[in-house]
PDB file of all heavy atoms in Angstrom:
ATOM      1  N   THR A1465     -13.730  -4.142  32.549  1.00  0.00           N
ATOM      2  CA  THR A1465     -13.388  -4.620  33.852  1.00  0.00           C
ATOM      3  C   THR A1465     -12.141  -5.565  33.859  1.00  0.00           C
ATOM      4  O   THR A1465     -11.706  -6.061  34.892  1.00  0.00           O
ATOM      5  CB  THR A1465     -14.567  -5.451  34.465  1.00  0.00           C
ATOM      6  OG1 THR A1465     -14.719  -6.620  33.676  1.00  0.00           O
ATOM      7  CG2 THR A1465     -15.918  -4.671  34.422  1.00  0.00           C
ATOM      8  N   LEU A1466     -11.597  -5.860  32.711  1.00  0.00           N
ATOM      9  CA  LEU A1466     -10.482  -6.769  32.562  1.00  0.00           C
ATOM     10  C   LEU A1466      -9.200  -5.999  32.855  1.00  0.00           C
ATOM     11  O   LEU A1466      -8.901  -4.967  32.283  1.00  0.00           O
ATOM     12  CB  LEU A1466     -10.350  -7.419  31.227  1.00  0.00           C
ATOM     13  CG  LEU A1466     -11.604  -8.262  30.871  1.00  0.00           C
ATOM     14  CD1 LEU A1466     -11.469  -8.690  29.409  1.00  0.00           C
ATOM     15  CD2 LEU A1466     -11.716  -9.458  31.728  1.00  0.00           C
ATOM     16  N   ALA A1467      -8.348  -6.494  33.790  1.00  0.00           N
ATOM     17  CA  ALA A1467      -6.995  -5.803  34.238  1.00  0.00           C
ATOM     18  C   ALA A1467      -6.113  -5.878  33.062  1.00  0.00           C
ATOM     19  O   ALA A1467      -6.238  -6.732  32.187  1.00  0.00           O
ATOM     20  CB  ALA A1467      -6.418  -6.477  35.383  1.00  0.00           C
ATOM     21  N   PRO A1468      -5.170  -4.829  32.972  1.00  0.00           N
ATOM     22  CA  PRO A1468      -4.266  -4.756  31.850  1.00  0.00           C
ATOM     23  C   PRO A1468      -3.387  -6.009  31.691  1.00  0.00           C
ATOM     24  O   PRO A1468      -2.900  -6.250  30.567  1.00  0.00           O
ATOM     25  CB  PRO A1468      -3.408  -3.548  32.288  1.00  0.00           C
ATOM     26  CG  PRO A1468      -4.164  -2.780  33.240  1.00  0.00           C
ATOM     27  CD  PRO A1468      -5.143  -3.704  33.923  1.00  0.00           C
ATOM     28  N   ASP A1469      -3.167  -6.778  32.750  1.00  0.00           N
ATOM     29  CA  ASP A1469      -2.419  -8.002  32.544  1.00  0.00           C
ATOM     30  C   ASP A1469      -3.251  -9.312  32.210  1.00  0.00           C
ATOM     31  O   ASP A1469      -2.755 -10.331  32.172  1.00  0.00           O
ATOM     32  CB  ASP A1469      -1.492  -8.225  33.824  1.00  0.00           C
ATOM     33  CG  ASP A1469      -2.303  -8.495  35.033  1.00  0.00           C
ATOM     34  OD1 ASP A1469      -3.604  -8.331  34.984  1.00  0.00           O
ATOM     35  OD2 ASP A1469      -1.757  -8.773  36.103  1.00  0.00           O
ATOM     36  N   HIS A1470      -4.585  -9.054  32.054  1.00  0.00           N
ATOM     37  CA  HIS A1470      -5.470 -10.167  31.637  1.00  0.00           C
ATOM     38  C   HIS A1470      -5.039 -10.702  30.290  1.00  0.00           C
ATOM     39  O   HIS A1470      -4.748  -9.879  29.365  1.00  0.00           O
ATOM     40  CB  HIS A1470      -6.919  -9.710  31.646  1.00  0.00           C
ATOM     41  CG  HIS A1470      -7.922 -10.839  31.518  1.00  0.00           C
ATOM     42  ND1 HIS A1470      -8.171 -11.524  30.458  1.00  0.00           N
ATOM     43  CD2 HIS A1470      -8.657 -11.475  32.491  1.00  0.00           C
ATOM     44  CE1 HIS A1470      -9.078 -12.444  30.672  1.00  0.00           C
ATOM     45  NE2 HIS A1470      -9.376 -12.431  31.916  1.00  0.00           N
ATOM     46  N   PRO A1471      -4.985 -12.096  30.099  1.00  0.00           N
ATOM     47  CA  PRO A1471      -4.672 -12.566  28.726  1.00  0.00           C
ATOM     48  C   PRO A1471      -5.579 -12.110  27.596  1.00  0.00           C
ATOM     49  O   PRO A1471      -5.139 -12.092  26.453  1.00  0.00           O
ATOM     50  CB  PRO A1471      -4.794 -14.059  28.919  1.00  0.00           C
ATOM     51  CG  PRO A1471      -5.429 -14.354  30.332  1.00  0.00           C
ATOM     52  CD  PRO A1471      -5.304 -13.085  31.090  1.00  0.00           C
ATOM     53  N   ALA A1472      -6.672 -11.566  27.962  1.00  0.00           N
ATOM     54  CA  ALA A1472      -7.567 -11.035  26.936  1.00  0.00           C
ATOM     55  C   ALA A1472      -6.910  -9.975  26.052  1.00  0.00           C
ATOM     56  O   ALA A1472      -7.164  -9.997  24.821  1.00  0.00           O
ATOM     57  CB  ALA A1472      -8.812 -10.380  27.534  1.00  0.00           C
ATOM     58  N   TRP A1473      -5.966  -9.233  26.648  1.00  0.00           N
ATOM     59  CA  TRP A1473      -5.405  -8.105  25.907  1.00  0.00           C
ATOM     60  C   TRP A1473      -4.370  -8.537  24.932  1.00  0.00           C
ATOM     61  O   TRP A1473      -4.292  -7.929  23.852  1.00  0.00           O
ATOM     62  CB  TRP A1473      -4.957  -7.032  26.854  1.00  0.00           C
ATOM     63  CG  TRP A1473      -6.082  -6.482  27.706  1.00  0.00           C
ATOM     64  CD1 TRP A1473      -6.194  -6.543  29.117  1.00  0.00           C
ATOM     65  CD2 TRP A1473      -7.358  -5.874  27.278  1.00  0.00           C
ATOM     66  NE1 TRP A1473      -7.470  -5.995  29.453  1.00  0.00           N
ATOM     67  CE2 TRP A1473      -8.096  -5.652  28.406  1.00  0.00           C
ATOM     68  CE3 TRP A1473      -7.787  -5.588  25.920  1.00  0.00           C
ATOM     69  CZ2 TRP A1473      -9.300  -5.038  28.275  1.00  0.00           C
ATOM     70  CZ3 TRP A1473      -9.007  -4.965  25.870  1.00  0.00           C
ATOM     71  CH2 TRP A1473      -9.774  -4.742  27.037  1.00  0.00           C
ATOM     72  N   ASP A1474      -3.599  -9.524  25.173  1.00  0.00           N
ATOM     73  CA  ASP A1474      -2.589 -10.015  24.301  1.00  0.00           C
ATOM     74  C   ASP A1474      -3.314 -10.676  23.015  1.00  0.00           C
ATOM     75  O   ASP A1474      -2.961 -10.396  21.846  1.00  0.00           O
ATOM     76  CB  ASP A1474      -1.658 -11.092  24.836  1.00  0.00           C
ATOM     77  CG  ASP A1474      -0.520 -10.507  25.697  1.00  0.00           C
ATOM     78  OD1 ASP A1474      -0.324  -9.254  25.451  1.00  0.00           O
ATOM     79  OD2 ASP A1474       0.040 -11.118  26.548  1.00  0.00           O
ATOM     80  N   GLN A1505      -8.546   1.422  26.457  1.00  0.00           N
ATOM     81  CA  GLN A1505      -7.441   0.787  27.132  1.00  0.00           C
ATOM     82  C   GLN A1505      -6.196   1.182  26.387  1.00  0.00           C
ATOM     83  O   GLN A1505      -5.599   0.541  25.569  1.00  0.00           O
ATOM     84  CB  GLN A1505      -7.624  -0.795  27.004  1.00  0.00           C
ATOM     85  CG  GLN A1505      -9.021  -1.242  27.529  1.00  0.00           C
ATOM     86  CD  GLN A1505      -8.975  -1.272  29.109  1.00  0.00           C
ATOM     87  OE1 GLN A1505      -7.956  -1.566  29.642  1.00  0.00           O
ATOM     88  NE2 GLN A1505     -10.170  -1.148  29.600  1.00  0.00           N
ATOM     89  N   HIS A1507      -3.148   0.881  27.122  1.00  0.00           N
ATOM     90  CA  HIS A1507      -2.063  -0.107  27.120  1.00  0.00           C
ATOM     91  C   HIS A1507      -2.112  -1.042  25.831  1.00  0.00           C
ATOM     92  O   HIS A1507      -1.239  -1.774  25.538  1.00  0.00           O
ATOM     93  CB  HIS A1507      -2.051  -1.056  28.336  1.00  0.00           C
ATOM     94  CG  HIS A1507      -3.327  -1.832  28.585  1.00  0.00           C
ATOM     95  ND1 HIS A1507      -3.604  -2.985  27.986  1.00  0.00           N
ATOM     96  CD2 HIS A1507      -4.422  -1.430  29.214  1.00  0.00           C
ATOM     97  CE1 HIS A1507      -4.871  -3.328  28.268  1.00  0.00           C
ATOM     98  NE2 HIS A1507      -5.432  -2.417  29.035  1.00  0.00           N
ATOM     99  N   LYS A1511       0.979  -2.666  22.548  1.00  0.00           N
ATOM    100  CA  LYS A1511       0.881  -4.009  22.193  1.00  0.00           C
ATOM    101  C   LYS A1511       0.555  -4.146  20.688  1.00  0.00           C
ATOM    102  O   LYS A1511       1.125  -5.078  19.867  1.00  0.00           O
ATOM    103  CB  LYS A1511      -0.268  -4.724  22.947  1.00  0.00           C
ATOM    104  CG  LYS A1511       0.142  -5.055  24.465  1.00  0.00           C
ATOM    105  CD  LYS A1511      -0.914  -6.023  25.083  1.00  0.00           C
ATOM    106  CE  LYS A1511      -0.399  -6.443  26.416  1.00  0.00           C
ATOM    107  NZ  LYS A1511      -1.169  -5.738  27.511  1.00  0.00           N
TER     108      LYS A1511
END
Side-chain angles (χ1 to χ4, degrees):
T1465 66
L1466 300 173
D1469 61 355
H1470 192 283
W1473 299 118
D1474 280 341
Q1505 301 285 327
H1507 58 87
K1511 286 195 173 102

